[in-house]
Amino acid sequence: MDKTIKIATRQSFGEALKELGADNKNVIVLDADLSGATKTNIFAKAYPDRFFDIGIAEQNMIGIAAGMSTCGKIPFASSFAVFVTGRVYDQIRNSVCYPNLNVKICGTHSGLTVGEDGATHQMLEDINLMKALPNMNILSPSDDTQTKWAIKEAAKINGPVYIRLCRLATPLIYDKETKFEFGKGICFGEGTDATVFATGDMVYKALEAQEILKSHGKDIRVVDIHTIKPIDEDLIIKCAKETEKLISIEDHSIIGGLGSSISDVLTEKYPKKLIKLGANDFGRSGKAEDVLEYFGLTSNKIVETVL
Amino acid sequence: MKQDHGHPGGSLSIADILTVLYFKEMNIDPKNLKDENRDRFILSKGHSAPALYATLYEKGILSADDMKSFRKINGILQGHPDMKHTPGIDMSTGSLGQGVSSAVGMAIAGKLDNKEYRVYSILGDGEIEEGQVWEAAMSASHYKLDNLCLIIDNNNLQIDGAITDVMNSYPIDKKFESFGFNVINIDGHNFQEIEKALESAKNTKLKPTAIIAKTIKGKGVSFMENQVGWHGKAPSEEQYNQAIEELDA
């Protein structure tokens, strides 16, 4: 992990779209009046003919994307996670997932790190909503390198993908040459005292905790679950067998998120206790780091939980 | 297509429009249903699926066996149009207000690729109470989609009663006009008027068209015509026989 380089995954997303657009003329980007914040404006500047600002009309944006995809286009429909999943759940359900169309749903500003805008904009139920839908795949990248991979990977999948992105700049975890595999988690370390499963902007917090715990004589492993659906069952079972404690951390509700997905696997395949760290209520206004602290989403909280 | 449930009223109101679209207007080859240059049809009021299935049967796209499978567990004809399992369906619909947005998406894609195809979508006069319809209408005229033609099935009835009593969506023509559409009012059971309106839509440049078709819910079946109760209810054996007799006459 390189803490001297900090990049928000939404920024990586915008840049990746531009690269993708250069290679594939069928890539279309849609936004709902937030292109400056979602960073789709990077694509818009490079390929204005293939960028559509649908205005403040997310339902229509999803429907338009669905229609375009039936004509061979690969639309990336983008907005804040709260609007591009919750507000348009029925459109994604009936116009995208039921016909299994090749539409990519891109939610930036997911989770509590939206900060000052508060609960109305802090989306904590998007993983829950999206994973319940048949045919939907979910990617939740943790840094710049992985986000750039995730966008290209999403374009390769012929079907719906939800990509969960974050507002805050976070440290670079992976070097540019790292190879990722769809549906396969990434294990840091082989410690057996605990496994911390993390996703998105919580992965670097888990890695920080791993460092701190060394001074306490505890050796844990951190697992970056970048593909939440389909989830890496084999790795979850392996960690459950090899490590003493199981902990999950996510910038999402503890109901129906990463922890719940892991819990589903454990219940069926290898029953074992899992401690879920995440939000248990609507969010609130404050500096991002203060909001995370308020909900116990910190490296210190992971350390306490392991000890 | 005999069934003990379904949506007969709103299906009969659009049968004449579908006949003109599929047998006179639209460029569709039953032997090449995925032709990327074909005209597209989206039944935004997806509950009128029986009328669409009957049209696809007459067009030779669905078989008599397919028709018997309507709403049955192993059938390919779902209660609402399903593009994944039914040949000739361009978009899955059923949740009102959504089909029209996908029609806009197809029309934009046609413009991007310099294709000649046209996109047709039928909406209900109750369906236009959905806000998404107006989001879609705004975008259709914003992008100057003259390859898009919406047809509003104005049978004046929705499930809970008359449009005017439940939630007044009138004046429909003025609404679409103010959203930048070329608007044509017609009798939706008059073949000549339907053909003429579709012709006018084709000749209109830089604007989408909305055809407001005055129709009769349950058209052709005396005991169903203009009766609100025939939205989501199928006839009895005796009523079915009478209906078929009247429709055949």
Side-chain angles (χ1 to χ4, degrees), chain A residues 2-6 171:
Chain A
D2 184 350
K3 288 193 179 181
T4 61
I5 305 172
K6 284 191 172 185

PDB file of all heavy atoms in Angstrom, chain A residues 2-6 171:
ATOM      1  N   ASP A   2       0.573   2.178  -0.881  1.00  0.00           N
ATOM      2  CA  ASP A   2       1.348   3.413  -0.978  1.00  0.00           C
ATOM      3  C   ASP A   2       0.465   4.588  -0.563  1.00  0.00           C
ATOM      4  O   ASP A   2      -0.388   5.043  -1.317  1.00  0.00           O
ATOM      5  CB  ASP A   2       1.840   3.595  -2.419  1.00  0.00           C
ATOM      6  CG  ASP A   2       2.745   4.810  -2.553  1.00  0.00           C
ATOM      7  OD1 ASP A   2       2.836   5.611  -1.588  1.00  0.00           O
ATOM      8  OD2 ASP A   2       3.356   4.963  -3.623  1.00  0.00           O
ATOM      9  N   LYS A   3       0.700   5.074   0.679  1.00  0.00           N
ATOM     10  CA  LYS A   3      -0.160   6.139   1.198  1.00  0.00           C
ATOM     11  C   LYS A   3       0.189   7.512   0.645  1.00  0.00           C
ATOM     12  O   LYS A   3      -0.512   8.497   0.889  1.00  0.00           O
ATOM     13  CB  LYS A   3      -0.089   6.160   2.728  1.00  0.00           C
ATOM     14  CG  LYS A   3      -0.800   4.985   3.356  1.00  0.00           C
ATOM     15  CD  LYS A   3      -0.956   5.235   4.843  1.00  0.00           C
ATOM     16  CE  LYS A   3      -1.675   4.085   5.501  1.00  0.00           C
ATOM     17  NZ  LYS A   3      -1.864   4.294   6.928  1.00  0.00           N
ATOM     18  N   THR A   4       1.318   7.588  -0.099  1.00  0.00           N
ATOM     19  CA  THR A   4       1.688   8.889  -0.650  1.00  0.00           C
ATOM     20  C   THR A   4       0.863   9.193  -1.898  1.00  0.00           C
ATOM     21  O   THR A   4       0.758  10.328  -2.316  1.00  0.00           O
ATOM     22  CB  THR A   4       3.187   8.923  -1.014  1.00  0.00           C
ATOM     23  OG1 THR A   4       3.428   7.920  -2.017  1.00  0.00           O
ATOM     24  CG2 THR A   4       4.055   8.649   0.195  1.00  0.00           C
ATOM     25  N   ILE A   5       0.281   8.134  -2.488  1.00  0.00           N
ATOM     26  CA  ILE A   5      -0.579   8.355  -3.652  1.00  0.00           C
ATOM     27  C   ILE A   5      -2.019   8.091  -3.252  1.00  0.00           C
ATOM     28  O   ILE A   5      -2.366   6.977  -2.865  1.00  0.00           O
ATOM     29  CB  ILE A   5      -0.188   7.412  -4.820  1.00  0.00           C
ATOM     30  CG1 ILE A   5       1.289   7.573  -5.167  1.00  0.00           C
ATOM     31  CG2 ILE A   5      -1.064   7.682  -6.035  1.00  0.00           C
ATOM     32  CD1 ILE A   5       1.802   6.556  -6.165  1.00  0.00           C
ATOM     33  N   LYS A   6      -2.850   9.112  -3.293  1.00  0.00           N
ATOM     34  CA  LYS A   6      -4.258   8.931  -2.942  1.00  0.00           C
ATOM     35  C   LYS A   6      -5.141   9.360  -4.110  1.00  0.00           C
ATOM     36  O   LYS A   6      -5.035  10.487  -4.604  1.00  0.00           O
ATOM     37  CB  LYS A   6      -4.613   9.751  -1.700  1.00  0.00           C
ATOM     38  CG  LYS A   6      -4.114   9.140  -0.406  1.00  0.00           C
ATOM     39  CD  LYS A   6      -4.725   9.848   0.790  1.00  0.00           C
ATOM     40  CE  LYS A   6      -4.379   9.124   2.081  1.00  0.00           C
ATOM     41  NZ  LYS A   6      -5.045   9.717   3.243  1.00  0.00           N
ATOM     42  N   PRO A 171      -5.700   5.518  -0.453  1.00  0.00           N
ATOM     43  CA  PRO A 171      -4.340   5.126  -0.872  1.00  0.00           C
ATOM     44  C   PRO A 171      -4.323   4.098  -2.009  1.00  0.00           C
ATOM     45  O   PRO A 171      -5.264   3.312  -2.153  1.00  0.00           O
ATOM     46  CB  PRO A 171      -3.748   4.490   0.397  1.00  0.00           C
ATOM     47  CG  PRO A 171      -4.587   4.971   1.521  1.00  0.00           C
ATOM     48  CD  PRO A 171      -5.950   5.206   0.958  1.00  0.00           C
TER      49      PRO A 171
END
